[in-house]
Amino acid sequence: MHELTVQLGGRSYQILIGSGLIRYAEPIVNCLVTPRAVVVTNNTVAPLYLDALTSSLRLAGVRLDEITLSDGEAHKNTGTLSLIYEALLRQRCDRSTTIIALGGGVIGDLAGFAAATYQRGVPFIQVPTTLLSQVDSSVGGKTGINHPLGKNMIGAFWQPKLVLTDTDTLKTLPVRELSAGLAEVIKYGLIRDLSFFEWLETNIDQLLSREPNALAYAIERSCANKAEVVAGDERETAKEGGRALLNLGHTFAHAIETGLGYGEWLHGEAVGAGMVMAGELSRRLGWLKESDMTRIRTLISRAGLPTTGPKLGAAQYLDLMGHDKKVIAGRLRLVLLKNVGEAVTWADASQSDITATIEACCND
Ligand code: NAD
Ligand code: GLY
């Protein structure tokens, strides 16, 4: 088992990564305020892993309820959130009840936001089961839901008490979802970890064939990168750089996801194309070389991800990007690349360069 800590003073917590951890109740039990918890999951993950998690917790004496939601990004909304609140109220959950998210990023974001807001905040634990959630969304405390006008627009920072990652769950993950997770893994290499990017260039096929040691290493290194960034800028308030760098490609990606309708492209797929767009804009600014772009496109494509965006039209992209949370005082603050392995936040990209980038990169 690998163990990391997200250093946030009194709100610090552990990330435990290993094979078979879902059947291991002790770390969860140690985090509970009272032996009472509610597991939030969905109708795809429940038949696979709910029993393994709940039986070990029940054996350890935890009183448990379960909330099983419909699967999909299209359900990450106020309607589903209301279902969670209603179930928590009907089950008479109180402020000491811990909410446990069992599933991918959609479940983690929804259950986390419910935990942040139910009775003004209850304890929360993440048990992520997709690669994307194991390397990114379960760590760092961003929770929330989508709005028809913008992705992740309603939410809260609410740190979990524990992240318990069972790498065995990746065995059942559909291949398209595995690739989507690799987008966020590649992101860490691109923004701050050149040697990890190089390791990925060598080992991407092992990751795609789910070689356990390669997967465990990629998860641990991704989480170590994320934990360091979050510890330095928990609420993304740094004027330059900081946590915002984790959003490489995401402003373009959120425009793709909102523009096509939630769930059409997977989040990680949109991030794959979005990172190419951020790279292309960086090349236009004279920072990246054509050879860097070839490396970036090649790795993203080998990971099974799109390297071009859908043809929504530059005007729609710009409109949707203007709704992004990265807009500050009307200026779009993008994450761009000075080099492979070195990202910056940049509010000075011209509209004409952004438009040219969209036109060059969005032809699907
Ligand atoms: P997801 O939660 O929709 O999961 C993908 C699919 O895999 C779903 O159908 C799910 O039911 C299924 N699944 C989950 N685990 C499985 C398993 N072990 N075996 C088989 N099927 C399994 O998608 P995701 O990629 O995990 O997360 C995407 C979401 O995460 C987006 O909403 C995105 O905005 C959010 N996100 C949040 C953060 C954050 O910091 N909070 C960061 C990145 C992404
Ligand atoms: N996924 C971006 C963040 O956690 O800040």
Side-chain angles (χ1 to χ4, degrees):
M1 182 171 78
H2 302 280
E3 198 177 319
L4 298 165
T5 303
V6 184
Q7 301 285 0
L8 290 169
R11 284 170 297 103
S12 298
Y13 54 94
Q14 280 187 312
I15 307 170
L16 302 180
I17 303 163
S19 155
L21 290 190
I22 217 161
R23 294 172 196 281
Y24 182 40
E26 196 183 317
I28 295 185
V29 172
N30 289 343
C31 287
L32 301 182
V33 184
T34 56
R36 169 94 169 96
V38 175
V39 180
V40 179
T41 188
N42 72 26
N43 52 6
T44 302
V45 176
L48 295 168
Y49 301 111
L50 185 59
D51 193 46
L53 177 69
T54 55
S55 31
S56 71
L57 287 170
R58 285 200 173 102
L59 264 177
V62 180
R63 191 185 138 209
L64 275 181
D65 283 298
E66 296 157 11
I67 303 174
T68 301
L69 304 169
S70 300
D71 186 7
E73 183 76 40
H75 296 283
K76 190 175 146 184
N77 56 25
T78 47
T80 309
L81 190 66
S82 294
L83 293 177
I84 303 178
Y85 293 142
E86 194 176 319
L88 295 173
L89 286 164
R90 284 192 191 285
Q91 290 156 6
R92 298 186 182 277
C93 296
D94 64 27
R95 279 188 160 167
S96 66
T97 305
T98 296
I99 295 183
I100 303 175
L102 171 70
V106 168
I107 286 295
D109 282 10
L110 266 166
F113 189 44
T117 46
Y118 181 71
Q119 298 197 0
R120 300 200 181 86
V122 296
F124 172 49
I125 288 174
Q126 291 266 19
V127 184
T129 61
T130 62
L131 181 61
L132 185 139
S133 57
Q134 295 182 353
V135 299
D136 190 353
S137 62
S138 64
V139 176
K142 279 191 182 175
T143 71
I145 56 171
N146 300 327
H147 186 279
L149 293 179
K151 170 99 179 136
N152 293 336
M153 276 294 153
I154 323 288
F157 286 97
W158 193 247
Q159 298 294 344
K161 300 284 180 204
L162 170 73
V163 179
L164 188 82
T165 289
D166 185 341
T167 48
D168 288 354
T169 59
L170 299 180
K171 289 178 185 161
T172 55
L173 194 67
V175 65
R176 196 176 157 200
E177 300 290 350
L178 185 75
S179 290
L182 288 174
E184 304 283 10
V185 173
I186 293 169
K187 172 187 83 179
Y188 296 112
L190 279 173
I191 61 171
R192 71 195 303 273
D193 194 344
L194 175 61
S195 70
F196 186 37
F197 187 87
E198 289 164 351
W199 183 88
L200 289 168
E201 290 180 308
T202 308
N203 290 282
I204 194 74
D205 293 335
Q206 302 216 49
L207 293 172
L208 285 166
S209 60
R210 304 181 203 221
E211 202 286 303
N213 291 330
L215 277 174
Y217 177 75
I219 295 166
E220 193 193 347
R221 185 117 174 206
S222 299
C223 287
N225 270 296
K226 179 141 189 187
E228 234 176 83
V229 173
V230 168
D233 181 23
E234 183 187 3
R235 292 193 165 226
E236 210 170 302
T237 49
K239 287 216 165 31
E240 282 176 15
R243 185 166 182 166
L245 299 181
L246 296 173
N247 296 319
L248 177 72
H250 283 55
T251 304
F252 295 105
H254 289 166
I256 293 172
E257 291 181 85
T258 310
L260 289 178
Y262 300 123
E264 202 54 43
W265 275 34
L266 301 181
H267 175 69
E269 292 171 339
V271 169
M275 291 192 297
V276 174
M277 292 161 85
E280 172 59 18
L281 183 50
S282 310
R283 190 195 63 77
R284 280 171 192 272
L285 291 170
W287 298 342
L288 290 190
K289 299 190 286 289
E290 191 49 64
S291 57
D292 296 323
M293 284 311 298
T294 304
R295 274 180 91 182
I296 293 171
R297 279 202 188 89
T298 302
L299 183 59
I300 290 173
S301 162
R302 285 179 67 204
L305 294 162
T307 54
T308 55
K311 207 169 183 166
L312 300 172
Q316 195 184 353
Y317 269 99
L318 289 170
D319 180 46
L320 289 165
M321 288 165 71
H323 280 293
D324 198 86
K325 293 191 292 306
K326 271 73 77 185
V327 173
I328 296 176
R331 285 170 77 91
L332 191 55
R333 200 170 66 128
L334 291 166
V335 182
L336 300 178
L337 293 171
K338 282 276 179 181
N339 282 297
V340 175
E342 185 193 354
V344 289
T345 44
W346 194 252
D348 290 330
S350 70
Q351 177 125 337
S352 62
D353 273 339
I354 299 175
T355 304
T357 298
I358 293 166
E359 281 166 354
C361 294
C362 298
N363 43 28
D364 273 2

